[in-house]
Amino acid sequence: MKKLILMGRSESGKSTLIQALRREELHYVKTQYVDFTESIIDTPGEYIEDKMLGGALAVYSYEADVVGIVISATEPYCLFPPNIVGMATRPVIGIVTKCDHELADKKQAKLWLENCGCERVFFTSSYNDEGIDEILEYLQ
């Protein structure tokens, strides 16, 4: 399986998505540090939220085969600038989380990810397994 690194702002659903991808019981976890496992790298949201820490994400991305930009379908804005994927030396996918939420705006989230330059966008809900199998299949 390809190794995936997830990047996104705090509370975008990265850690919950990882639990769903691993078929674990879902519970809230605040990622405090870059967490390396065999197939997934979880990064704290602060790394994308703070300009001084953003460069570290580029360095950590070299440890992965695929970069996943995570945006919640409930987010009111996007932290990622247009065409950011041009900086990556790995394939970059977009992942929209919280698609089952009543305030979800999947169309807006997809537009932001397309503007970033993501080659493919996945729509997910960690609570009802929407899109989980598609991501796992992509990573095979």
Side-chain angles (χ1 to χ4, degrees):
M1 188 159 131
K2 296 175 190 161
K3 184 173 252 189
L4 172 68
I5 184 170
L6 295 178
M7 302 176 185
R9 75 174 192 83
S10 295
E11 309 217 357
S12 63
K14 298 180 302 294
S15 298
T16 305
L17 175 64
I18 290 170
Q19 292 169 21
L21 289 168
R22 292 181 185 153
R23 307 290 188 203
E24 297 174 350
E25 183 177 332
L26 302 181
H27 61 281
Y28 178 75
V29 176
K30 170 64 182 117
T31 303
Q32 299 292 322
Y33 54 88
V34 177
D35 185 17
F36 286 81
T37 63
E38 186 177 314
S39 58
I40 301 174
I41 303 171
D42 191 8
T43 62
E46 290 80 6
Y47 277 56
I48 194 64
E49 295 167 358
D50 186 323
K51 186 167 73 170
M52 301 300 287
L53 297 172
L57 290 175
V59 174
Y60 288 118
S61 74
Y62 292 117
E63 299 294 326
D65 301 307
V66 177
V67 174
I69 296 178
V70 179
I71 294 180
S72 166
T74 63
E75 291 187 27
Y77 56 88
C78 177
L79 287 175
F80 297 95
N83 299 313
I84 185 96
V85 304
M87 298 174 60
T89 60
R90 310 284 189 269
V92 181
I93 60 172
I95 302 172
V96 181
T97 58
K98 304 181 186 180
C99 289
D100 59 330
H101 195 281
E102 64 185 30
L103 300 176
D105 187 348
K106 297 190 292 188
K107 184 177 176 183
Q108 179 65 66
K110 181 181 181 189
L111 179 62
W112 285 330
L113 290 167
E114 289 174 342
N115 286 342
C116 288
C118 295
E119 66 179 43
R120 184 167 174 188
V121 176
F122 295 88
F123 295 95
T124 67
S125 167
S126 297
Y127 290 93
N128 66 21
D129 283 340
E130 177 184 348
I132 301 302
D133 289 335
E134 288 83 0
I135 293 173
L136 290 170
E137 183 178 308
Y138 175 85
L139 294 173
Q140 290 302 322

